[in-house]
């Protein structure tokens, strides 16, 4: 090999070593290069689509042709807050999301306490897998399974008939019950993790100081687990607020924000965009409220 060939081969290697050394001395530059691709994806696809959604909400629709007219107007947002139907649907959607979140907390806490503190250590991983198993099934399969359970003459009626009762049928209670089942694992897992990491010496110290179980639960367990509960509520609240398929299948005549967006997407795209901004704003406000609890660091 000639000297010229050796020199040509050493050139790229030397440049690579200089680049590696420069990146090693500049950790911020290295981090910026690593995050460039995902941040670009976030800015272009996610934030870009949200920007288009917000901008199109200020457009109007020709009442005769149903074509979008790119004329700036706040009529869509004015209609959201002045039309009784839209106001009812917005508040109903927020109420359903809060109800689902509250039910998930009530059900998840005893389940997570058993899996994290009561069950034998060798059974705990299997119990966690059992909790995750419903997430592996199809969303539509689970919803239609609940439709069969809640239908007239279904499993719910069969189980409640000896008590002289009947199932809830299709409607708002059925939608809340189905959504609670769908998103319950997202609440159980963070609560289970928080309870599993709860130091035993804190509970022993509380007992040694004479605190009863109820006082220990209020003063020791709840403050330690509250951020994880708030973190789980972010998932249950946001997923319930934007859902529309469950309500269409088991909700009967109930309408939520997602249903209105879906029904307006063909006839009045700007109004559908205005309706779509409502869950985004509500979830942002909810995230700001949960930030004070330390929930974002527990996700």
């Amino acid at each position: 090999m000639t000297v010229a060939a050796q020199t040509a081969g050493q050139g790229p290697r030397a440049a690579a070593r200089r680049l590696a050394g420069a990146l090693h001395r500049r950790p911020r530059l290295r981090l910026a290069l690593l995050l460039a691709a995902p941040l670009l994806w976030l800015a272009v696809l996610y934030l870009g689509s949200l920007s288009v959604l917000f901008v199109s909400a200020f457009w109007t629709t020709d009442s005769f042709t149903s074509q979008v007219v790119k004329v700036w107007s706040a009529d869509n947002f004015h209609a959201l807050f002045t039309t009784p139907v839209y106001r009812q649907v917005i508040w109903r959607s927020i109420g359903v999301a809060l109800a689902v979140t509250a039910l998930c907390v009530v059900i998840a806490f005893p389940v997570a306490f058993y899996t994290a503190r009561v069950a034998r250590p060798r059974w705990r991983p299997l119990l966690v897998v059992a909790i995750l198993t419903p997430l592996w099934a199809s969303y539509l399969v689970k919803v239609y399974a609940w439709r069969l359970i809640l239908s007239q003459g279904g499993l719910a009626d069969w189980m409640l008939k000896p008590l002289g009762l009947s199932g809830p049928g299709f409607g708002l209670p059925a939608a809340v019950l189905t959504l609670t089942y769908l998103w319950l694992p997202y609440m159980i897992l963070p609560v289970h993790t928080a309870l599993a990491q709860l130091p035993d010496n804190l509970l022993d110290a509380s007992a040694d100081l004479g605190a009863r179980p109820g006082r220990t639960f209020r003063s020791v367990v709840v403050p330690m687990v509250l951020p994880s509960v708030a973190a789980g509520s972010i998932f249950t609240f946001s997923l319930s607020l934007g859902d529309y398929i469950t309500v269409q299948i088991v909700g009967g005549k109930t309408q939520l924000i997602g249903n209105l967006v879906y029904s307006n997407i063909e006839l009045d795209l700007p109004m559908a965009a205005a309706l779509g901004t409502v869950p985004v704003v509500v979830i942002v406000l909810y995230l700001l409220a949960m930030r004070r609890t330390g929930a974002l660091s527990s996700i």
Side-chain angles (χ1 to χ4, degrees), residues 12-58:
R13 290 196 295 269
R17 286 195 296 269
R18 287 195 298 270
L19 178 60
L23 292 176
H24 180 73
R25 292 189 299 269
R26 297 175 177 84
R28 293 185 178 180
L29 177 60
R30 185 170 68 250
L31 180 62
L33 293 176
L34 289 174
L35 296 178
L39 288 178
L40 181 63
W41 176 88
L42 177 65
V44 173
L45 296 182
Y46 184 71
L47 298 180
S49 61
L50 288 180
S51 300
V52 173
L53 173 70
F54 184 71
V55 170
S56 60
F58 289 95

Side-chain angles (χ1 to χ4, degrees), residues 89-101 172 176 237 241:
V89 170
I90 291 173
W91 287 114
R92 184 188 301 130
S93 302
I94 296 175
V96 166
L98 292 174
V100 171
T101 300
L172 193 60
V176 172
F237 181 84
L241 185 64

Side-chain angles (χ1 to χ4, degrees), residues 123-163:
W123 291 107
R124 292 174 186 174
L126 297 178
L127 292 174
V128 173
V129 172
I131 293 171
L132 289 173
T133 299
L135 297 178
W136 301 343
S138 171
Y139 174 94
L140 288 176
V141 169
K142 291 182 289 188
V143 176
Y144 274 107
W146 273 97
R147 180 178 175 86
L148 293 176
I149 293 172
L150 298 172
S151 62
Q152 185 176 3
L155 181 61
D157 284 344
W158 179 77
M159 294 181 64
L160 295 175
K161 187 176 182 180
L163 303 176

